[in-house]
Amino acid sequence: MADTIALRPVPLTRARFAPYGDVIDASHDAVQPMNEARFERFDDLCDVDLGDGGVAISVTRARTATVLPLRVDCVERHPLGSQAFVPLSPCTMVVVVAPPGEAVEAGDLRAFVTNGRQGINYHRGTWHMPLIAFEAGQEYLIVDRAGCEHNCDEHELDTVVMLEAP
Amino acid sequence: MADTIALRPVPLTRARFAPYGDVIDASHDAVQPMNEARFERFDDLCDVDLGDGGVAISVTRARTATVLPLRVDCVERHPLGSQAFVPLSPCTMVVVVAPPGEAVEAGDLRAFVTNGRQGINYHRGTWHMPLIAFEAGQEYLIVDRAGCEHNCDEHELDTVVMLEAP
């Protein structure tokens, strides 16, 4: 039997996530006043990279809750654009990623856990585990590339990867 | 003294909001399964219209709470692109809008109240009251046009417009 890799998520920070994407939250230093200073605006938090495609704003809602530990069988990437997920009510997200590139090895995978307020934007081509949620009914906003072109490559992992609880 | 216009918000629906923009929520009919049916995905809910500009994803946080009734002094429009606001935790939003066009009259204004889960996308050029929040600390995601070009026209209303509680 192949070796098993155990992935334990570490807290998500901008620096740790930089090889894979962006963190979307209101903790950035570059805050701007808005509407006569009634708001603080944290501007342009991501590299939204959609090539020649349009922008789609979508909502997804979890039908089932995932329990950790979970075996990660497969990762995917979107070769034509970035993809952002932002929770529509505060919730912890766990993401598993590997850097953009043609190939992905189980040993390249890293796991992160959000602080409950953070969203994430995967850079174009970043390998990632499909979205999971820990509560049924949880909703997320998605900002990604509109269009009908093939924009999802999947890779079955040939090593047993177990995603542990944070 | 000029006449006073009292605007009382009515519940936001897709049909009522169609002249002004889009409703962003998970109540759409066109639901797609996602990630082996662990999610329901409500795809491409808005007309994101940014011309030749890039996409900015930003977060804004309310520093102060607004109390109704409120006098609406001014409306604004973004001539170069659409602008979406989605609450990052469930909250009621009240928006005041008038159709896109060069001129805007106080009599054209309409007010809507969301159901707590809805976000909105203003079409390019839709006149709207600047964002208000009813709780300090409330956060919203913004998806609009990146870039430094002038993209905000303001219009001072010469009629007294009072936005009432829903």
PDB file of all heavy atoms in Angstrom, chain A residues 35 37-45 57-61 63 131 144, chain B residues 35 37-45 55 57-61 63 131 144:
ATOM      1  N   ASN A  35     -17.844  56.916   1.137  1.00  0.00           N
ATOM      2  CA  ASN A  35     -19.128  57.513   1.516  1.00  0.00           C
ATOM      3  C   ASN A  35     -18.998  58.398   2.763  1.00  0.00           C
ATOM      4  O   ASN A  35     -19.598  58.138   3.804  1.00  0.00           O
ATOM      5  CB  ASN A  35     -20.198  56.434   1.773  1.00  0.00           C
ATOM      6  CG  ASN A  35     -20.537  55.655   0.514  1.00  0.00           C
ATOM      7  OD1 ASN A  35     -19.967  55.912  -0.533  1.00  0.00           O
ATOM      8  ND2 ASN A  35     -21.459  54.719   0.620  1.00  0.00           N
ATOM      9  N   ALA A  37     -16.669  58.749   4.816  1.00  0.00           N
ATOM     10  CA  ALA A  37     -16.027  58.062   5.951  1.00  0.00           C
ATOM     11  C   ALA A  37     -17.004  57.236   6.779  1.00  0.00           C
ATOM     12  O   ALA A  37     -16.659  56.785   7.857  1.00  0.00           O
ATOM     13  CB  ALA A  37     -15.263  59.042   6.833  1.00  0.00           C
ATOM     14  N   ARG A  38     -18.202  57.005   6.223  1.00  0.00           N
ATOM     15  CA  ARG A  38     -19.106  56.108   6.932  1.00  0.00           C
ATOM     16  C   ARG A  38     -18.699  54.638   6.754  1.00  0.00           C
ATOM     17  O   ARG A  38     -19.192  53.768   7.455  1.00  0.00           O
ATOM     18  CB  ARG A  38     -20.551  56.337   6.479  1.00  0.00           C
ATOM     19  CG  ARG A  38     -21.126  57.615   7.091  1.00  0.00           C
ATOM     20  CD  ARG A  38     -22.572  57.839   6.706  1.00  0.00           C
ATOM     21  NE  ARG A  38     -22.676  58.398   5.373  1.00  0.00           N
ATOM     22  CZ  ARG A  38     -23.349  57.838   4.373  1.00  0.00           C
ATOM     23  NH1 ARG A  38     -23.997  56.714   4.550  1.00  0.00           N
ATOM     24  NH2 ARG A  38     -23.388  58.406   3.191  1.00  0.00           N
ATOM     25  N   PHE A  39     -17.816  54.389   5.798  1.00  0.00           N
ATOM     26  CA  PHE A  39     -17.303  53.035   5.558  1.00  0.00           C
ATOM     27  C   PHE A  39     -15.783  53.081   5.422  1.00  0.00           C
ATOM     28  O   PHE A  39     -15.214  54.108   5.059  1.00  0.00           O
ATOM     29  CB  PHE A  39     -17.887  52.463   4.254  1.00  0.00           C
ATOM     30  CG  PHE A  39     -19.331  52.070   4.357  1.00  0.00           C
ATOM     31  CD1 PHE A  39     -20.329  53.021   4.220  1.00  0.00           C
ATOM     32  CD2 PHE A  39     -19.683  50.764   4.607  1.00  0.00           C
ATOM     33  CE1 PHE A  39     -21.667  52.661   4.322  1.00  0.00           C
ATOM     34  CE2 PHE A  39     -21.016  50.402   4.707  1.00  0.00           C
ATOM     35  CZ  PHE A  39     -22.012  51.348   4.575  1.00  0.00           C
ATOM     36  N   GLU A  40     -15.173  51.943   5.700  1.00  0.00           N
ATOM     37  CA  GLU A  40     -13.774  51.723   5.356  1.00  0.00           C
ATOM     38  C   GLU A  40     -13.754  50.745   4.197  1.00  0.00           C
ATOM     39  O   GLU A  40     -14.400  49.690   4.265  1.00  0.00           O
ATOM     40  CB  GLU A  40     -13.032  51.079   6.520  1.00  0.00           C
ATOM     41  CG  GLU A  40     -13.046  51.900   7.781  1.00  0.00           C
ATOM     42  CD  GLU A  40     -12.453  51.120   8.949  1.00  0.00           C
ATOM     43  OE1 GLU A  40     -13.001  50.063   9.301  1.00  0.00           O
ATOM     44  OE2 GLU A  40     -11.451  51.583   9.494  1.00  0.00           O
ATOM     45  N   ARG A  41     -13.018  51.077   3.156  1.00  0.00           N
ATOM     46  CA  ARG A  41     -12.998  50.222   1.973  1.00  0.00           C
ATOM     47  C   ARG A  41     -11.606  49.629   1.778  1.00  0.00           C
ATOM     48  O   ARG A  41     -10.606  50.350   1.787  1.00  0.00           O
ATOM     49  CB  ARG A  41     -13.423  51.050   0.748  1.00  0.00           C
ATOM     50  CG  ARG A  41     -13.506  50.235  -0.506  1.00  0.00           C
ATOM     51  CD  ARG A  41     -14.193  50.942  -1.649  1.00  0.00           C
ATOM     52  NE  ARG A  41     -13.926  50.189  -2.879  1.00  0.00           N
ATOM     53  CZ  ARG A  41     -14.686  50.224  -3.973  1.00  0.00           C
ATOM     54  NH1 ARG A  41     -15.742  50.987  -4.018  1.00  0.00           N
ATOM     55  NH2 ARG A  41     -14.363  49.505  -5.033  1.00  0.00           N
ATOM     56  N   PHE A  42     -11.579  48.332   1.592  1.00  0.00           N
ATOM     57  CA  PHE A  42     -10.346  47.584   1.394  1.00  0.00           C
ATOM     58  C   PHE A  42     -10.360  47.163  -0.073  1.00  0.00           C
ATOM     59  O   PHE A  42     -11.064  46.236  -0.461  1.00  0.00           O
ATOM     60  CB  PHE A  42     -10.308  46.382   2.335  1.00  0.00           C
ATOM     61  CG  PHE A  42     -10.440  46.775   3.778  1.00  0.00           C
ATOM     62  CD1 PHE A  42     -11.689  47.028   4.341  1.00  0.00           C
ATOM     63  CD2 PHE A  42      -9.317  46.950   4.573  1.00  0.00           C
ATOM     64  CE1 PHE A  42     -11.814  47.420   5.671  1.00  0.00           C
ATOM     65  CE2 PHE A  42      -9.436  47.348   5.898  1.00  0.00           C
ATOM     66  CZ  PHE A  42     -10.682  47.593   6.448  1.00  0.00           C
ATOM     67  N   ASP A  43      -9.591  47.894  -0.859  1.00  0.00           N
ATOM     68  CA  ASP A  43      -9.777  47.892  -2.308  1.00  0.00           C
ATOM     69  C   ASP A  43      -8.981  46.825  -3.024  1.00  0.00           C
ATOM     70  O   ASP A  43      -7.815  46.597  -2.704  1.00  0.00           O
ATOM     71  CB  ASP A  43      -9.329  49.256  -2.864  1.00  0.00           C
ATOM     72  CG  ASP A  43     -10.521  50.131  -3.174  1.00  0.00           C
ATOM     73  OD1 ASP A  43     -11.638  49.616  -3.214  1.00  0.00           O
ATOM     74  OD2 ASP A  43     -10.302  51.343  -3.365  1.00  0.00           O
ATOM     75  N   ASP A  44      -9.628  46.222  -3.998  1.00  0.00           N
ATOM     76  CA  ASP A  44      -8.941  45.465  -5.042  1.00  0.00           C
ATOM     77  C   ASP A  44      -8.009  44.425  -4.419  1.00  0.00           C
ATOM     78  O   ASP A  44      -6.792  44.455  -4.580  1.00  0.00           O
ATOM     79  CB  ASP A  44      -8.147  46.457  -5.911  1.00  0.00           C
ATOM     80  CG  ASP A  44      -7.904  45.896  -7.298  1.00  0.00           C
ATOM     81  OD1 ASP A  44      -8.370  44.785  -7.606  1.00  0.00           O
ATOM     82  OD2 ASP A  44      -7.215  46.575  -8.082  1.00  0.00           O
ATOM     83  N   LEU A  45      -8.625  43.478  -3.713  1.00  0.00           N
ATOM     84  CA  LEU A  45      -7.885  42.548  -2.864  1.00  0.00           C
ATOM     85  C   LEU A  45      -7.295  41.362  -3.613  1.00  0.00           C
ATOM     86  O   LEU A  45      -6.529  40.597  -3.031  1.00  0.00           O
ATOM     87  CB  LEU A  45      -8.817  42.045  -1.754  1.00  0.00           C
ATOM     88  CG  LEU A  45      -9.348  43.145  -0.823  1.00  0.00           C
ATOM     89  CD1 LEU A  45     -10.498  42.616   0.035  1.00  0.00           C
ATOM     90  CD2 LEU A  45      -8.230  43.665   0.066  1.00  0.00           C
ATOM     91  N   ILE A  57     -20.648  36.137 -11.503  1.00  0.00           N
ATOM     92  CA  ILE A  57     -20.877  36.167 -10.056  1.00  0.00           C
ATOM     93  C   ILE A  57     -21.972  35.142  -9.775  1.00  0.00           C
ATOM     94  O   ILE A  57     -23.072  35.231 -10.329  1.00  0.00           O
ATOM     95  CB  ILE A  57     -21.310  37.563  -9.582  1.00  0.00           C
ATOM     96  CG1 ILE A  57     -20.207  38.598  -9.852  1.00  0.00           C
ATOM     97  CG2 ILE A  57     -21.650  37.534  -8.095  1.00  0.00           C
ATOM     98  CD1 ILE A  57     -20.560  40.015  -9.393  1.00  0.00           C
ATOM     99  N   SER A  58     -21.659  34.157  -8.953  1.00  0.00           N
ATOM    100  CA  SER A  58     -22.572  33.053  -8.682  1.00  0.00           C
ATOM    101  C   SER A  58     -22.651  32.841  -7.178  1.00  0.00           C
ATOM    102  O   SER A  58     -21.836  33.369  -6.417  1.00  0.00           O
ATOM    103  CB  SER A  58     -22.067  31.767  -9.353  1.00  0.00           C
ATOM    104  OG  SER A  58     -21.806  31.994 -10.729  1.00  0.00           O
ATOM    105  N   VAL A  59     -23.651  32.094  -6.764  1.00  0.00           N
ATOM    106  CA  VAL A  59     -23.776  31.703  -5.362  1.00  0.00           C
ATOM    107  C   VAL A  59     -23.849  30.189  -5.312  1.00  0.00           C
ATOM    108  O   VAL A  59     -24.493  29.569  -6.174  1.00  0.00           O
ATOM    109  CB  VAL A  59     -25.038  32.316  -4.713  1.00  0.00           C
ATOM    110  CG1 VAL A  59     -25.254  31.774  -3.308  1.00  0.00           C
ATOM    111  CG2 VAL A  59     -24.942  33.838  -4.677  1.00  0.00           C
ATOM    112  N   THR A  60     -23.174  29.582  -4.346  1.00  0.00           N
ATOM    113  CA  THR A  60     -23.314  28.147  -4.149  1.00  0.00           C
ATOM    114  C   THR A  60     -23.702  27.874  -2.704  1.00  0.00           C
ATOM    115  O   THR A  60     -23.305  28.611  -1.795  1.00  0.00           O
ATOM    116  CB  THR A  60     -22.048  27.375  -4.557  1.00  0.00           C
ATOM    117  OG1 THR A  60     -22.342  25.979  -4.588  1.00  0.00           O
ATOM    118  CG2 THR A  60     -20.889  27.641  -3.634  1.00  0.00           C
ATOM    119  N   ARG A  61     -24.527  26.859  -2.540  1.00  0.00           N
ATOM    120  CA  ARG A  61     -25.047  26.517  -1.212  1.00  0.00           C
ATOM    121  C   ARG A  61     -24.785  25.047  -0.943  1.00  0.00           C
ATOM    122  O   ARG A  61     -25.074  24.198  -1.787  1.00  0.00           O
ATOM    123  CB  ARG A  61     -26.547  26.793  -1.175  1.00  0.00           C
ATOM    124  CG  ARG A  61     -27.190  26.500   0.170  1.00  0.00           C
ATOM    125  CD  ARG A  61     -28.609  27.058   0.239  1.00  0.00           C
ATOM    126  NE  ARG A  61     -29.417  26.558  -0.845  1.00  0.00           N
ATOM    127  CZ  ARG A  61     -30.507  27.179  -1.318  1.00  0.00           C
ATOM    128  NH1 ARG A  61     -30.918  28.324  -0.812  1.00  0.00           N
ATOM    129  NH2 ARG A  61     -31.194  26.653  -2.313  1.00  0.00           N
ATOM    130  N   ARG A  63     -25.244  21.409   0.268  1.00  0.00           N
ATOM    131  CA  ARG A  63     -26.356  20.496   0.551  1.00  0.00           C
ATOM    132  C   ARG A  63     -26.002  19.555   1.688  1.00  0.00           C
ATOM    133  O   ARG A  63     -26.890  19.039   2.359  1.00  0.00           O
ATOM    134  CB  ARG A  63     -26.705  19.684  -0.698  1.00  0.00           C
ATOM    135  CG  ARG A  63     -27.180  20.566  -1.852  1.00  0.00           C
ATOM    136  CD  ARG A  63     -27.614  19.746  -3.062  1.00  0.00           C
ATOM    137  NE  ARG A  63     -28.754  18.903  -2.736  1.00  0.00           N
ATOM    138  CZ  ARG A  63     -28.786  17.584  -2.844  1.00  0.00           C
ATOM    139  NH1 ARG A  63     -27.733  16.942  -3.279  1.00  0.00           N
ATOM    140  NH2 ARG A  63     -29.857  16.903  -2.524  1.00  0.00           N
ATOM    141  N   LEU A 131     -14.478  22.544  -3.281  1.00  0.00           N
ATOM    142  CA  LEU A 131     -15.009  23.211  -2.082  1.00  0.00           C
ATOM    143  C   LEU A 131     -15.701  22.209  -1.153  1.00  0.00           C
ATOM    144  O   LEU A 131     -16.435  21.339  -1.604  1.00  0.00           O
ATOM    145  CB  LEU A 131     -16.031  24.265  -2.536  1.00  0.00           C
ATOM    146  CG  LEU A 131     -16.667  25.142  -1.459  1.00  0.00           C
ATOM    147  CD1 LEU A 131     -15.634  26.075  -0.843  1.00  0.00           C
ATOM    148  CD2 LEU A 131     -17.819  25.969  -2.048  1.00  0.00           C
ATOM    149  N   ASP A 144     -15.822  34.039 -10.846  1.00  0.00           N
ATOM    150  CA  ASP A 144     -14.898  33.352 -11.745  1.00  0.00           C
ATOM    151  C   ASP A 144     -15.213  33.677 -13.193  1.00  0.00           C
ATOM    152  O   ASP A 144     -15.893  34.671 -13.462  1.00  0.00           O
ATOM    153  CB  ASP A 144     -14.839  31.849 -11.442  1.00  0.00           C
ATOM    154  CG  ASP A 144     -16.155  31.118 -11.666  1.00  0.00           C
ATOM    155  OD1 ASP A 144     -17.141  31.757 -12.087  1.00  0.00           O
ATOM    156  OD2 ASP A 144     -16.197  29.904 -11.403  1.00  0.00           O
TER     157      ASP A 144
ATOM    158  N   ASN B  35     -19.663  19.797  -7.505  1.00  0.00           N
ATOM    159  CA  ASN B  35     -18.862  18.936  -6.633  1.00  0.00           C
ATOM    160  C   ASN B  35     -19.653  17.690  -6.209  1.00  0.00           C
ATOM    161  O   ASN B  35     -19.917  17.464  -5.032  1.00  0.00           O
ATOM    162  CB  ASN B  35     -18.380  19.686  -5.384  1.00  0.00           C
ATOM    163  CG  ASN B  35     -17.419  20.813  -5.720  1.00  0.00           C
ATOM    164  OD1 ASN B  35     -17.122  21.035  -6.884  1.00  0.00           O
ATOM    165  ND2 ASN B  35     -16.949  21.521  -4.710  1.00  0.00           N
ATOM    166  N   ALA B  37     -22.658  16.952  -6.450  1.00  0.00           N
ATOM    167  CA  ALA B  37     -23.980  17.272  -5.863  1.00  0.00           C
ATOM    168  C   ALA B  37     -23.898  17.604  -4.380  1.00  0.00           C
ATOM    169  O   ALA B  37     -24.926  17.691  -3.713  1.00  0.00           O
ATOM    170  CB  ALA B  37     -24.988  16.156  -6.116  1.00  0.00           C
ATOM    171  N   ARG B  38     -22.680  17.853  -3.887  1.00  0.00           N
ATOM    172  CA  ARG B  38     -22.584  18.305  -2.495  1.00  0.00           C
ATOM    173  C   ARG B  38     -22.981  19.781  -2.364  1.00  0.00           C
ATOM    174  O   ARG B  38     -23.183  20.268  -1.266  1.00  0.00           O
ATOM    175  CB  ARG B  38     -21.175  18.057  -1.949  1.00  0.00           C
ATOM    176  CG  ARG B  38     -20.953  16.570  -1.609  1.00  0.00           C
ATOM    177  CD  ARG B  38     -19.584  16.309  -1.014  1.00  0.00           C
ATOM    178  NE  ARG B  38     -18.559  16.272  -2.039  1.00  0.00           N
ATOM    179  CZ  ARG B  38     -17.507  17.082  -2.087  1.00  0.00           C
ATOM    180  NH1 ARG B  38     -17.316  17.989  -1.161  1.00  0.00           N
ATOM    181  NH2 ARG B  38     -16.631  16.981  -3.067  1.00  0.00           N
ATOM    182  N   PHE B  39     -23.048  20.477  -3.476  1.00  0.00           N
ATOM    183  CA  PHE B  39     -23.458  21.887  -3.499  1.00  0.00           C
ATOM    184  C   PHE B  39     -24.502  22.096  -4.593  1.00  0.00           C
ATOM    185  O   PHE B  39     -24.542  21.357  -5.584  1.00  0.00           O
ATOM    186  CB  PHE B  39     -22.261  22.796  -3.799  1.00  0.00           C
ATOM    187  CG  PHE B  39     -21.306  22.928  -2.651  1.00  0.00           C
ATOM    188  CD1 PHE B  39     -20.337  21.962  -2.414  1.00  0.00           C
ATOM    189  CD2 PHE B  39     -21.383  24.014  -1.795  1.00  0.00           C
ATOM    190  CE1 PHE B  39     -19.462  22.078  -1.340  1.00  0.00           C
ATOM    191  CE2 PHE B  39     -20.507  24.132  -0.725  1.00  0.00           C
ATOM    192  CZ  PHE B  39     -19.554  23.161  -0.492  1.00  0.00           C
ATOM    193  N   GLU B  40     -25.296  23.145  -4.405  1.00  0.00           N
ATOM    194  CA  GLU B  40     -26.153  23.658  -5.463  1.00  0.00           C
ATOM    195  C   GLU B  40     -25.556  24.979  -5.907  1.00  0.00           C
ATOM    196  O   GLU B  40     -25.281  25.847  -5.059  1.00  0.00           O
ATOM    197  CB  GLU B  40     -27.558  23.940  -4.928  1.00  0.00           C
ATOM    198  CG  GLU B  40     -28.259  22.720  -4.389  1.00  0.00           C
ATOM    199  CD  GLU B  40     -29.568  23.107  -3.708  1.00  0.00           C
ATOM    200  OE1 GLU B  40     -29.527  23.880  -2.730  1.00  0.00           O
ATOM    201  OE2 GLU B  40     -30.610  22.634  -4.157  1.00  0.00           O
ATOM    202  N   ARG B  41     -25.385  25.142  -7.199  1.00  0.00           N
ATOM    203  CA  ARG B  41     -24.747  26.353  -7.705  1.00  0.00           C
ATOM    204  C   ARG B  41     -25.737  27.179  -8.526  1.00  0.00           C
ATOM    205  O   ARG B  41     -26.387  26.642  -9.423  1.00  0.00           O
ATOM    206  CB  ARG B  41     -23.524  25.974  -8.553  1.00  0.00           C
ATOM    207  CG  ARG B  41     -22.758  27.179  -9.029  1.00  0.00           C
ATOM    208  CD  ARG B  41     -21.401  26.839  -9.616  1.00  0.00           C
ATOM    209  NE  ARG B  41     -20.904  28.013 -10.324  1.00  0.00           N
ATOM    210  CZ  ARG B  41     -19.630  28.263 -10.567  1.00  0.00           C
ATOM    211  NH1 ARG B  41     -18.694  27.436 -10.182  1.00  0.00           N
ATOM    212  NH2 ARG B  41     -19.264  29.354 -11.212  1.00  0.00           N
ATOM    213  N   PHE B  42     -25.830  28.440  -8.190  1.00  0.00           N
ATOM    214  CA  PHE B  42     -26.724  29.379  -8.858  1.00  0.00           C
ATOM    215  C   PHE B  42     -25.823  30.284  -9.683  1.00  0.00           C
ATOM    216  O   PHE B  42     -25.176  31.186  -9.155  1.00  0.00           O
ATOM    217  CB  PHE B  42     -27.533  30.158  -7.812  1.00  0.00           C
ATOM    218  CG  PHE B  42     -28.319  29.247  -6.911  1.00  0.00           C
ATOM    219  CD1 PHE B  42     -27.719  28.627  -5.819  1.00  0.00           C
ATOM    220  CD2 PHE B  42     -29.653  28.977  -7.172  1.00  0.00           C
ATOM    221  CE1 PHE B  42     -28.438  27.767  -5.005  1.00  0.00           C
ATOM    222  CE2 PHE B  42     -30.374  28.116  -6.355  1.00  0.00           C
ATOM    223  CZ  PHE B  42     -29.770  27.512  -5.275  1.00  0.00           C
ATOM    224  N   ASP B  43     -25.791  29.985 -10.998  1.00  0.00           N
ATOM    225  CA  ASP B  43     -24.710  30.473 -11.840  1.00  0.00           C
ATOM    226  C   ASP B  43     -24.981  31.824 -12.454  1.00  0.00           C
ATOM    227  O   ASP B  43     -26.090  32.074 -12.920  1.00  0.00           O
ATOM    228  CB  ASP B  43     -24.487  29.486 -12.978  1.00  0.00           C
ATOM    229  CG  ASP B  43     -23.275  28.621 -12.728  1.00  0.00           C
ATOM    230  OD1 ASP B  43     -22.486  28.961 -11.834  1.00  0.00           O
ATOM    231  OD2 ASP B  43     -23.135  27.608 -13.417  1.00  0.00           O
ATOM    232  N   ASP B  44     -23.966  32.642 -12.466  1.00  0.00           N
ATOM    233  CA  ASP B  44     -23.885  33.813 -13.341  1.00  0.00           C
ATOM    234  C   ASP B  44     -25.130  34.689 -13.166  1.00  0.00           C
ATOM    235  O   ASP B  44     -25.911  34.909 -14.084  1.00  0.00           O
ATOM    236  CB  ASP B  44     -23.756  33.320 -14.786  1.00  0.00           C
ATOM    237  CG  ASP B  44     -23.122  34.370 -15.690  1.00  0.00           C
ATOM    238  OD1 ASP B  44     -22.745  35.457 -15.203  1.00  0.00           O
ATOM    239  OD2 ASP B  44     -23.028  34.100 -16.895  1.00  0.00           O
ATOM    240  N   LEU B  45     -25.270  35.233 -11.955  1.00  0.00           N
ATOM    241  CA  LEU B  45     -26.504  35.881 -11.538  1.00  0.00           C
ATOM    242  C   LEU B  45     -26.625  37.327 -11.996  1.00  0.00           C
ATOM    243  O   LEU B  45     -27.680  37.934 -11.820  1.00  0.00           O
ATOM    244  CB  LEU B  45     -26.596  35.820 -10.005  1.00  0.00           C
ATOM    245  CG  LEU B  45     -26.650  34.399  -9.418  1.00  0.00           C
ATOM    246  CD1 LEU B  45     -26.417  34.424  -7.914  1.00  0.00           C
ATOM    247  CD2 LEU B  45     -27.988  33.754  -9.728  1.00  0.00           C
ATOM    248  N   VAL B  55     -11.511  43.763 -13.276  1.00  0.00           N
ATOM    249  CA  VAL B  55     -12.425  43.476 -12.173  1.00  0.00           C
ATOM    250  C   VAL B  55     -11.709  43.744 -10.859  1.00  0.00           C
ATOM    251  O   VAL B  55     -10.582  43.295 -10.665  1.00  0.00           O
ATOM    252  CB  VAL B  55     -12.827  41.985 -12.171  1.00  0.00           C
ATOM    253  CG1 VAL B  55     -13.953  41.744 -11.179  1.00  0.00           C
ATOM    254  CG2 VAL B  55     -13.180  41.517 -13.550  1.00  0.00           C
ATOM    255  N   ILE B  57     -12.243  43.115  -6.745  1.00  0.00           N
ATOM    256  CA  ILE B  57     -13.005  42.543  -5.635  1.00  0.00           C
ATOM    257  C   ILE B  57     -12.509  43.245  -4.376  1.00  0.00           C
ATOM    258  O   ILE B  57     -11.324  43.212  -4.064  1.00  0.00           O
ATOM    259  CB  ILE B  57     -12.803  41.028  -5.523  1.00  0.00           C
ATOM    260  CG1 ILE B  57     -13.307  40.320  -6.784  1.00  0.00           C
ATOM    261  CG2 ILE B  57     -13.505  40.480  -4.292  1.00  0.00           C
ATOM    262  CD1 ILE B  57     -13.146  38.801  -6.751  1.00  0.00           C
ATOM    263  N   SER B  58     -13.414  43.894  -3.672  1.00  0.00           N
ATOM    264  CA  SER B  58     -13.063  44.699  -2.506  1.00  0.00           C
ATOM    265  C   SER B  58     -14.009  44.349  -1.371  1.00  0.00           C
ATOM    266  O   SER B  58     -15.043  43.713  -1.571  1.00  0.00           O
ATOM    267  CB  SER B  58     -13.187  46.192  -2.836  1.00  0.00           C
ATOM    268  OG  SER B  58     -12.448  46.523  -3.996  1.00  0.00           O
ATOM    269  N   VAL B  59     -13.627  44.760  -0.168  1.00  0.00           N
ATOM    270  CA  VAL B  59     -14.500  44.595   0.993  1.00  0.00           C
ATOM    271  C   VAL B  59     -14.690  45.968   1.615  1.00  0.00           C
ATOM    272  O   VAL B  59     -13.739  46.765   1.670  1.00  0.00           O
ATOM    273  CB  VAL B  59     -13.889  43.625   2.028  1.00  0.00           C
ATOM    274  CG1 VAL B  59     -14.725  43.584   3.306  1.00  0.00           C
ATOM    275  CG2 VAL B  59     -13.777  42.220   1.450  1.00  0.00           C
ATOM    276  N   THR B  60     -15.906  46.265   2.046  1.00  0.00           N
ATOM    277  CA  THR B  60     -16.123  47.504   2.774  1.00  0.00           C
ATOM    278  C   THR B  60     -16.811  47.188   4.100  1.00  0.00           C
ATOM    279  O   THR B  60     -17.594  46.247   4.194  1.00  0.00           O
ATOM    280  CB  THR B  60     -16.903  48.537   1.953  1.00  0.00           C
ATOM    281  OG1 THR B  60     -16.838  49.799   2.615  1.00  0.00           O
ATOM    282  CG2 THR B  60     -18.354  48.148   1.751  1.00  0.00           C
ATOM    283  N   ARG B  61     -16.447  47.949   5.098  1.00  0.00           N
ATOM    284  CA  ARG B  61     -16.959  47.719   6.459  1.00  0.00           C
ATOM    285  C   ARG B  61     -17.542  49.016   6.985  1.00  0.00           C
ATOM    286  O   ARG B  61     -16.911  50.076   6.907  1.00  0.00           O
ATOM    287  CB  ARG B  61     -15.823  47.257   7.359  1.00  0.00           C
ATOM    288  CG  ARG B  61     -16.267  46.950   8.780  1.00  0.00           C
ATOM    289  CD  ARG B  61     -15.182  46.197   9.539  1.00  0.00           C
ATOM    290  NE  ARG B  61     -13.939  46.933   9.546  1.00  0.00           N
ATOM    291  CZ  ARG B  61     -12.734  46.380   9.719  1.00  0.00           C
ATOM    292  NH1 ARG B  61     -12.597  45.086   9.894  1.00  0.00           N
ATOM    293  NH2 ARG B  61     -11.657  47.131   9.716  1.00  0.00           N
ATOM    294  N   ARG B  63     -18.483  51.878   9.400  1.00  0.00           N
ATOM    295  CA  ARG B  63     -17.950  52.462  10.630  1.00  0.00           C
ATOM    296  C   ARG B  63     -19.081  52.961  11.506  1.00  0.00           C
ATOM    297  O   ARG B  63     -18.920  53.076  12.724  1.00  0.00           O
ATOM    298  CB  ARG B  63     -16.986  53.611  10.307  1.00  0.00           C
ATOM    299  CG  ARG B  63     -15.747  53.140   9.548  1.00  0.00           C
ATOM    300  CD  ARG B  63     -14.764  54.280   9.313  1.00  0.00           C
ATOM    301  NE  ARG B  63     -14.252  54.787  10.565  1.00  0.00           N
ATOM    302  CZ  ARG B  63     -14.336  56.052  10.967  1.00  0.00           C
ATOM    303  NH1 ARG B  63     -14.907  56.946  10.181  1.00  0.00           N
ATOM    304  NH2 ARG B  63     -13.860  56.427  12.123  1.00  0.00           N
ATOM    305  N   LEU B 131     -24.082  53.594  -0.380  1.00  0.00           N
ATOM    306  CA  LEU B 131     -24.364  52.478   0.538  1.00  0.00           C
ATOM    307  C   LEU B 131     -24.588  52.979   1.964  1.00  0.00           C
ATOM    308  O   LEU B 131     -23.861  53.846   2.449  1.00  0.00           O
ATOM    309  CB  LEU B 131     -23.156  51.521   0.520  1.00  0.00           C
ATOM    310  CG  LEU B 131     -23.260  50.239   1.334  1.00  0.00           C
ATOM    311  CD1 LEU B 131     -24.293  49.293   0.741  1.00  0.00           C
ATOM    312  CD2 LEU B 131     -21.898  49.543   1.399  1.00  0.00           C
ATOM    313  N   ASP B 144     -16.566  45.492  -8.688  1.00  0.00           N
ATOM    314  CA  ASP B 144     -16.771  46.585  -9.643  1.00  0.00           C
ATOM    315  C   ASP B 144     -15.549  46.750 -10.534  1.00  0.00           C
ATOM    316  O   ASP B 144     -14.727  45.834 -10.636  1.00  0.00           O
ATOM    317  CB  ASP B 144     -17.206  47.878  -8.935  1.00  0.00           C
ATOM    318  CG  ASP B 144     -16.171  48.429  -7.981  1.00  0.00           C
ATOM    319  OD1 ASP B 144     -15.067  47.846  -7.853  1.00  0.00           O
ATOM    320  OD2 ASP B 144     -16.461  49.463  -7.338  1.00  0.00           O
TER     321      ASP B 144
END
